[in-house]
Amino acid sequence: MLTRIRGSRLIDPELPRDANQPGGVSDLWFRDDTIVEPPKETTTPDVDIDATGCVTMAGGIDLHTHIGGGKVSLARMLLQDQMPPWREAIPRGETSPASSEFLPAASVTASRYLDMGYTTCLEPAVIPCNARSAHAEMADVRGLDTGGYCLLGNDDVLLQLIAEKAEQPIINAYVAWMVTATRCLAVKVVNPGGINAFKFNQRSFDVDTPHPKTGVTPGQIIRVLSRAVHEIGLVHPLHVHCSNLGVPGNIASTLATIEAADGYPIHLTHAQFHCYGTEGPFKFSSASSQLVEAMQKHPNVTIDVGQIQFGQTVTISADAMHQYDNIKHASPRKSVLVDIECEAGCGVVPFRYRRRQFVHSLQWAIGLELFLTVNDPARVFLTTDHPNGGPFTAYPHLLALLSDRTLRDTALSEIDADAAASSSLKGIDRQYTLNDIATMTRAAPAKILGLHDRGSLAPGRIADVVVYRTQDQIEQMCRTPEMVFKSGKLIREKGDSYNSNDNTSSDRTLTADLHQHGFDFDRKEVAQFRSRYSENGTIAMDRLWITEEEMETVLGSRLHPTGMRTPSGEGSP
């Protein structure tokens, strides 16, 4: 099947500059599920789509959104009195029983992402002992390609290895085995060492604080993990949830975390929550300028923002230490706190962000400051840390705020006056262009994740294609695309489902295949890991291993190897 989309403006930073200029139009061709070069000779396509007056982008990629795993299930159980009856859930419609805005069912999550033109989403916290459940839940997010980040850095085995000063190749082998076993794409660390220390009654933990049992510091964990991720060949840098989330003055911990990486690539997630000073009458201030300055000095650092949205949501995190502190702020007044095996923890705390509350208003402003003062849109990524800062459905509104200073100033005037006065947001003139948006939500996420088969409209890429009707209001434009193609199949048309019974056959789980790229596991090393794991856990380490056959026949998704660097240092095709 040969398809042509004609007469639209192609927005893609990887295409020749002329194709991205206002008024410039081009045709986009794709055969079956792959974008192809325009035919050199006159050719009649099987499907010919007139997209005059539209802009066309690659499918959106969300590199940090909580859409699978035990924490999401715990949140739904905790808030079942507020949630709709899941057994009656249907995918679409304002009257759907599954229309919870901040914690939708899996099928509704997929529908809402596709409605905005997103085709790939990554779950950033897959605990190894719960990886099967996480992949099974993500497989129910039908119509999207998904993947996960393996959660390490608080497990007893790794902490023991670091405490014993194990050689880096040993640690590399352990990290590689865990990523491969859990069929993940990258490595995540949450409050390095702090979740484990919480189990020993530690209630605060900074970057240079020794663990009460092992003596290991978060700085050491960051150092060995960032190096391990780089040396085993993963494209995505170590994905870091820093120490002291939400604590006034935590910018010092964030800057210390950057230094601890020793120049290895590092990605700081939901950076807004780690960007606070202690100035002013409320002893709470924006430290966004300090983080931006640090990023200018350290080109190895990227961030996603974790922008908050006003209203009800629920916070879900492996950071049990700081979720314990947040229990007193729960709204409604209930919460769940869980210790998980020897690996991590989990805290679920419902929360409401209030527009006229100083701290919440300043958090909102800090996120926008980061978006607008990090000059390179390839180093700052659009996230709300769904659902922690708010639902991902806020993305069109956030893009409007970034693209329209007048709208931003109006929103600033509606928040707490003291917070607005203490923010630098009023003096920022920058407005995002469509090319900036395509970079931040398509090209850059694909590059940093090693997903070199998507994120662009260049020939050879997967035909994940979104057509937007050009409008003055970016929010409305991005909220309801004219058409969404997933792997070359039209699955959304003007907000309505299309070919809904045939749009999931190409769903894939994106995974890093270290075996395929020459990483061999030493039997003696694996035997050592197996012995250590049995001393600390209640299940055998080998039970963590998910086979390719199990992924497809039991969990319901096909593996798609990607996310690895070639020997030259480039991402794998």
Side-chain angles (χ1 to χ4, degrees):
M1 181 74 72
L2 183 63
T3 301
R4 176 176 68 176
I5 298 175
R6 58 182 170 85
S8 73
R9 180 181 161 207
L10 306 184
I11 307 296
D12 181 354
E14 292 194 21
L15 294 179
R17 181 169 296 181
D18 290 346
N20 291 282
Q21 297 304 310
V25 298
S26 301
D27 292 347
L28 181 71
W29 295 75
F30 49 93
R31 184 180 298 280
D32 298 328
D33 63 351
T34 305
I35 297 172
V36 297
E37 293 277 5
K40 295 181 179 179
E41 300 178 356
T42 302
T43 302
T44 301
D46 299 298
V47 178
D48 196 20
I49 298 169
D50 183 2
T52 303
C54 296
V55 297
T56 300
M57 298 184 188
I61 301 171
D62 193 343
L63 58 62
H64 188 110
T65 177
H66 295 284
I67 56 173
K71 57 196 174 302
V72 179
S73 298
L74 284 171
R76 289 173 179 152
M77 288 189 289
L78 177 69
L79 297 173
Q80 59 182 321
D81 58 327
Q82 296 187 28
M83 297 293 102
W86 302 111
R87 292 181 184 275
E88 302 172 16
I90 57 177
R92 284 190 49 78
E94 291 300 323
T95 60
S96 165
S99 61
S100 168
E101 194 64 30
F102 61 88
L103 200 62
S107 62
V108 182
T109 296
S111 181
R112 289 178 179 165
Y113 265 116
L114 291 169
D115 287 344
M116 299 187 299
Y118 276 76
T119 54
T120 303
C121 296
L122 286 303
E123 161 58 55
V126 176
I127 298 174
C129 66
N130 194 41
R132 280 180 174 81
S133 173
H135 283 304
E137 291 182 36
M138 287 188 282
D140 281 342
V141 185
R142 296 291 182 182
L144 300 178
D145 286 346
T146 59
Y149 308 156
C150 181
L151 195 64
L152 298 174
N154 281 280
D155 52 300
D156 286 352
V157 174
L158 181 64
L159 293 178
Q160 288 172 5
L161 290 171
I162 297 173
E164 295 168 10
K165 296 182 170 52
E167 294 182 355
Q168 187 68 36
I170 299 294
I171 291 176
N172 293 357
Y174 177 70
V175 172
W177 195 94
M178 282 294 181
V179 171
T180 304
T182 57
R183 301 299 175 179
C184 283
L185 182 70
V187 176
K188 167 83 172 292
V189 60
V190 173
N191 186 5
I195 302 171
N196 192 290
F198 180 76
K199 300 175 185 181
F200 292 88
N201 211 32
Q202 191 91 9
R203 292 297 177 261
S204 63
F205 208 60
D206 212 340
V207 180
D208 59 355
T209 304
H211 187 280
K213 181 179 180 181
T214 65
V216 173
T217 68
Q220 290 176 279
I221 298 169
I222 294 293
R223 192 168 296 112
V224 299
L225 276 181
S226 58
R227 180 179 173 184
V229 165
H230 182 76
E231 290 185 353
I232 65 178
L234 299 179
V235 173
H236 190 54
L238 180 64
H239 199 91
V240 181
H241 165 136
C242 297
S243 307
N244 289 319
L245 177 139
V247 177
N250 62 12
I251 185 61
S253 300
T254 303
L255 299 180
T257 299
I258 293 173
E259 295 294 338
D262 276 352
Y264 285 102
I266 184 172
H267 179 86
L268 306 182
T269 191
H270 41 70
Q272 178 277 135
F273 289 103
H274 304 274
C275 208
Y276 305 149
T278 56
E279 299 176 357
F282 298 98
K283 304 300 181 185
F284 183 83
S285 59
S286 170
S288 63
S289 61
Q290 294 182 57
L291 179 54
V292 172
E293 182 180 354
M295 291 180 66
Q296 292 170 348
K297 294 179 180 177
H298 298 274
N300 59 307
V301 179
T302 54
I303 66 170
D304 64 77
V305 171
Q307 176 69 34
I308 76 156
Q309 288 296 290
F310 299 115
Q312 181 68 49
T313 191
V314 58
T315 63
I316 54 178
S317 176
D319 195 347
M321 176 180 286
H322 291 289
Q323 287 294 71
Y324 175 78
D325 287 338
N326 290 333
I327 287 173
K328 58 182 176 290
H329 302 299
S331 177
R333 291 283 187 175
K334 53 184 175 178
S335 58
V336 173
L337 209 63
V338 181
D339 285 340
I340 302 175
E341 276 290 329
C342 63
E343 296 182 5
C346 181
V348 177
V349 181
F351 197 81
R352 177 178 289 276
Y353 293 102
R354 293 174 169 82
R355 192 181 303 272
R356 295 294 184 178
Q357 208 268 10
F358 173 82
V359 170
H360 302 171
S361 290
L362 191 54
Q363 287 178 302
W364 175 86
I366 291 170
L368 294 177
E369 289 172 0
L370 289 172
F371 277 121
L372 295 164
T373 55
V374 176
N375 290 328
D376 184 355
R379 296 182 65 195
V380 57
F381 298 91
L382 181 65
T383 65
T384 60
D385 187 23
H386 168 82
N388 291 301
F392 62 83
T393 49
Y395 288 172
H397 178 63
L398 292 178
L399 292 174
L401 290 173
L402 298 175
S403 305
D404 186 343
R405 183 183 177 182
T406 301
L407 178 64
R408 196 161 65 232
D409 287 344
T410 299
L412 186 64
S413 69
E414 296 171 348
I415 67 171
D416 178 88
D418 290 328
S422 63
S423 168
S424 63
L425 194 57
K426 180 70 173 178
I428 301 176
D429 294 329
R430 182 184 175 193
Q431 299 183 127
Y432 270 54
T433 66
L434 289 177
N435 209 51
D436 290 336
I437 291 172
T439 298
M440 181 174 64
T441 61
R442 273 86 173 166
K447 183 177 181 180
I448 198 175
L449 290 165
L451 309 181
H452 295 282
D453 58 359
R454 66 196 68 207
S456 170
L457 301 174
R461 308 298 173 90
I462 293 173
D464 287 358
V465 177
V466 188
V467 180
Y468 297 100
R469 175 68 57 185
T470 303
Q471 299 185 46
D472 292 335
Q473 295 185 354
I474 292 290
E475 180 171 354
Q476 187 59 37
M477 174 181 132
C478 293
R479 192 170 295 284
T480 310
E482 288 284 295
M483 288 168 282
V484 179
F485 294 85
K486 177 70 171 63
S487 297
K489 296 179 180 179
L490 179 64
I491 58 175
R492 284 291 185 277
E493 188 169 21
K494 296 181 180 179
D496 292 324
S497 183
Y498 192 88
N499 285 335
S500 58
N501 295 326
D502 190 40
N503 64 18
T504 64
S505 60
S506 59
D507 291 359
R508 288 161 287 199
T509 295
L510 307 174
T511 182
D513 191 338
L514 286 96
H515 279 306
Q516 180 177 316
H517 288 263
F519 196 100
D520 292 323
F521 300 109
D522 184 277
R523 292 184 179 180
K524 291 182 180 179
E525 293 173 348
V526 175
Q528 178 192 160
F529 304 150
R530 188 180 292 119
S531 175
R532 288 178 183 271
Y533 202 89
S534 66
E535 292 174 359
N536 296 281
T538 58
I539 61 174
M541 190 181 83
D542 290 335
R543 295 289 300 276
L544 302 180
W545 192 278
I546 305 172
T547 65
E548 183 173 350
E549 181 181 8
E550 183 181 358
M551 279 294 302
E552 187 165 350
T553 62
V554 179
L555 303 182
S557 182
R558 294 182 297 114
L559 290 176
H560 182 66
T562 186
M564 298 296 298
R565 293 197 313 277
T566 62
S568 65
E570 296 296 327
S572 63

